[in-house]
Amino acid sequence: MFVKLCGLRTESDVAVAVETGADAVGFVLTASPRQIDADLARTLVAAVPDHVLTVAVVRGISAAEAGELALKTGVRALQLHGDYPKEAFDELAGLPFQLVRATALGPATDVRTGAFGEELLLIDSPVAGSGEQWDISRLDENRPSGRWVLAGGLAPETVAGAIGVARPWGVDVSSGIESSRGVKDHARMREFVAAARQAPQVT
């Protein structure tokens, strides 16, 4: 089970994420309680070992701006979160980082990983970063394919059950591992990774 811990803001957040065995860490570079600036992101990215994927998370900015931020921070992946069209991904194709398409599940959502040229697809709550749970049973009507990651309202207490229902390739968490808005709880980070890893894998 691929595990991404998102919204990290401090050197200790990064150190704990790496220690837990997380596969990816996310840094939010646009308006959010978890936002950090590009200079801090670059410092944090430099502290992450090569086997852990570093992801810049953006929403509400142009593809060009997003690409510039990703290049400046040195991340290995860029997550476009929200209603970005395929043209945005086309514009970023060929740059030296992977692309992640993050979107909510709607009637017309294309849930084929790679449909927009992305390497990873992330299916999130309609209110990203809110910690709100959503009805993941809706995935039965529109089942994603390929390397896709479940997000939205996950927590150490709920992730195993969500994996059992949704059968994702990976999981992503931010608010569910916080002690307060934007502040990571290192004990909960460890608990989340352990719970995700121990969940029965359904293929």
Side-chain angles (χ1 to χ4, degrees):
M1 180 59 56
F2 177 92
V3 180
K4 174 170 169 272
L5 303 182
C6 200
L8 307 188
R9 300 175 62 204
T10 69
E11 291 181 6
S12 58
D13 289 348
V14 169
V16 171
V18 172
E19 172 205 316
T20 65
D23 299 287
V25 290
F27 305 102
V28 181
L29 302 180
T30 51
S32 161
R34 304 169 186 94
Q35 181 179 6
I36 59 175
D37 64 33
D39 290 335
L40 175 55
R42 185 172 185 84
T43 298
L44 297 180
V45 166
V48 179
D50 289 344
H51 68 274
V52 179
L53 183 67
T54 50
V55 185
V57 179
V58 302
R59 68 180 301 142
I61 63 174
S62 70
E65 292 175 278
E68 287 174 10
L69 280 173
L71 291 172
K72 184 174 182 181
T73 54
V75 291
R76 292 172 45 217
L78 171 61
Q79 178 174 318
L80 298 181
H81 211 115
D83 296 323
Y84 282 91
K86 184 177 184 301
E87 289 74 18
F89 292 83
D90 292 342
E91 187 176 338
L92 295 164
L95 291 176
F97 44 75
Q98 297 181 38
L99 295 174
V100 182
R101 174 166 59 106
T103 185
L105 187 67
T109 305
D110 192 327
V111 293
R112 298 169 300 157
T113 301
F116 284 28
E118 77 278 9
E119 278 81 12
L120 286 178
L121 171 65
L122 188 146
I123 304 293
D124 199 1
S125 158
V127 187
S130 65
E132 291 180 10
Q133 294 189 357
W134 58 284
D135 182 8
I136 60 175
S137 67
R138 290 167 47 211
L139 289 161
D140 288 338
E141 303 164 12
N142 202 5
R143 174 66 54 184
S145 64
R147 299 202 307 169
W148 75 278
V149 176
L150 178 68
L154 299 180
E157 302 81 5
T158 63
V159 65
I163 288 170
V165 172
R167 307 193 305 276
W169 177 80
V171 289
D172 176 282
V173 65
S174 186
S175 58
I177 50 171
E178 292 179 343
S179 56
S180 61
R181 199 85 167 136
V183 179
K184 290 294 180 274
D185 181 315
H186 294 168
R188 288 183 67 78
M189 289 169 66
R190 294 184 178 96
E191 291 163 9
F192 183 90
V193 175
R197 294 269 192 262
Q198 292 163 13
Q201 304 299 301
V202 181
T203 56

